[in-house]
Amino acid sequence: MSDDAVGPAETDDVLGPGWVARTLPLRPDALSRRGAPDPVATLVHRRPDDAAAPAGTPATPPSADLAPPRPRTAVLYLHGFVDYFFHPHVADALARAGYDLWALDLRDYGRSIRPGRPANEITDLATYTEEIDTAVRLLRGSHDRLVVLAHSTGGLTAALWAHARRGRGLVDALVLNSPWLELRGTTFERTVLTGAIDVVGRVAPRLVVSRTARHYGEALHAATGGPWDYDLAWKPHTFEARAGFVRAVRRGHARVARGLAVDCPVLVLASDAAGPDDRWHDALLTTDSVLDPAQIAARAPLLGPDVTFVQVPGGAHDLALSPAPARERYLDEVLRFLEERLGDA
């Protein structure tokens, strides 16, 4: 893959030595036409010579004439709402099995946030098609196969994208980690309130209609006693949800409810239990305290004709950030599915 093929050259990434990022310029949008910077996305990767070697691989002296073979299968990671990629342990597990992970920070998220552009906002999930298509085109040009691995709102976005791109042979497998396929809440919130949001989100998309609960983030982050360290400017404990965003998500939910036709094998994974999402409790990291796993299980079969659903006992909302042994169980299930469906990496 040449620099010309992927846009600007790689720069050192915030994840540290070996990690690099490429900024992907995107088309001007309504915000940039009003004077804001043009949107960008960011593709994050670890240099091949810094990736974890597959288990059992003997050490080989470096050679100027022999570059390491590029893995045949690329895995494209998509994050959730108010989120970004900070999961090198997932890249390690995939690399040991022979997979090449690339992560995409979508426009206005994480590494792609730019001054003058509101962070973490969208009014139509299909807008992300541009950067997903760009990343997929680049990775398909250098790998034989492509897997999309997506979390939460990214899981909903990925499913809708894969449905819209069906029949093109772009993706060989879709893996969804706690995808947001339905609104957690009361029947009133899923019906009457959704109808109201559909109107409000169209006429006043920037109206704040709710905030995410802070308890899950506080349980995750090292500064508040959690096991993970990440940039709180890019993934704060709580963040406002605006009407345009909620409307876009609820329209995505409605599309899933009508049934999709994703034409590659799909693996959907979720915790085995829901925890309260409105208060602190001891099981914040051993239950899904953001979404309802029962809703995920019910909606998963609607994604396409070949869907596998797996529960991960003791899993957190982001299964990759669960405590052991749930985290290892999650990664093992992903690798088992890919081996069964794709064969050798």
Side-chain angles (χ1 to χ4, degrees):
M1 187 186 307
S2 69
D3 283 351
D4 291 342
V6 294
E10 293 175 342
T11 59
D12 292 339
D13 186 60
V14 295
L15 289 179
W19 286 91
V20 293
R22 290 178 182 268
T23 299
L24 305 180
L26 302 174
R27 292 190 298 266
D29 62 3
L31 282 172
S32 53
R33 287 190 290 272
R34 294 197 297 268
D38 289 343
V40 299
T42 311
L43 196 58
V44 182
H45 184 234
R46 186 164 45 196
R47 294 187 182 96
D49 53 349
D50 291 302
T57 300
T60 303
S63 168
D65 301 321
L66 182 63
R70 180 177 291 277
R72 294 177 57 205
T73 304
V75 177
L76 179 63
Y77 178 91
L78 301 181
H79 57 78
F81 180 55
V82 194
D83 204 357
Y84 73 103
F85 178 73
F86 59 95
H87 301 60
H89 63 288
V90 175
D92 290 342
L94 290 166
R96 285 192 292 268
Y99 298 98
D100 191 19
L101 184 136
W102 299 68
L104 184 65
D105 279 13
L106 300 167
R107 69 184 69 202
D108 303 323
Y109 280 85
R111 299 163 178 85
S112 305
I113 293 173
R114 295 293 183 270
R117 297 186 59 87
N120 313 314
E121 279 195 36
I122 203 73
T123 57
D124 185 349
L125 296 179
T127 303
Y128 297 130
T129 296
E130 182 183 0
E131 51 258 54
I132 297 173
D133 280 350
T134 299
V136 166
R137 182 172 62 253
L138 299 175
L139 297 181
R140 294 292 322 191
S142 57
H143 296 76
D144 298 329
R145 295 177 302 206
L146 176 74
V147 175
V148 175
L149 168 61
H151 168 59
S152 198
T153 311
L156 173 62
T157 301
L160 296 171
W161 171 85
H163 169 77
R165 292 294 185 260
R166 65 192 182 279
R168 303 188 185 188
L170 295 178
V171 60
D172 297 281
L174 185 63
V175 178
L176 306 180
N177 163 6
S178 303
W180 192 10
L181 303 181
E182 176 57 291
L183 181 69
R184 176 173 177 165
T186 65
T187 301
F188 174 82
E189 290 169 325
R190 293 196 297 272
T191 55
V192 176
L193 190 57
T194 290
I197 287 292
D198 195 65
V199 175
V200 174
R202 177 170 50 82
V203 299
R206 303 218 64 229
L207 179 69
V208 175
V209 294
S210 68
R211 294 190 68 91
T212 60
R214 65 181 306 110
H215 316 292
Y216 173 62
E218 291 175 345
L220 282 176
H221 199 270
T224 42
W228 303 100
D229 193 14
Y230 49 84
D231 192 333
L232 289 174
W234 291 347
K235 184 178 172 63
H237 295 328
T238 183
F239 198 82
E240 66 272 7
R242 298 183 183 272
F245 167 78
V246 177
R247 178 178 186 259
V249 169
R250 291 302 284 149
R251 289 192 159 211
H253 291 164
R255 186 64 193 87
V256 171
R258 295 196 297 271
L260 304 183
V262 176
D263 59 357
C264 67
V266 181
L267 174 64
V268 178
L269 307 103
S271 180
D272 64 334
D277 63 348
D278 58 352
R279 64 181 184 275
W280 181 271
H281 59 94
D282 291 339
L284 277 163
L285 298 186
T286 55
T287 61
D288 191 329
S289 295
V290 177
L291 302 180
D292 183 349
Q295 291 178 330
I296 298 172
R299 288 292 176 94
L302 301 177
L303 299 178
D306 184 0
V307 178
T308 302
F309 177 75
V310 172
Q311 284 188 325
V312 178
H317 171 57
D318 186 343
L319 295 166
L321 303 182
S322 303
R327 182 173 65 252
E328 287 78 8
R329 170 70 180 275
Y330 161 68
L331 293 168
D332 287 347
E333 292 288 353
V334 171
L335 293 173
R336 182 179 300 113
F337 175 81
L338 295 180
E339 181 179 2
E340 290 175 352
R341 296 311 184 93
L342 301 184
D344 293 339

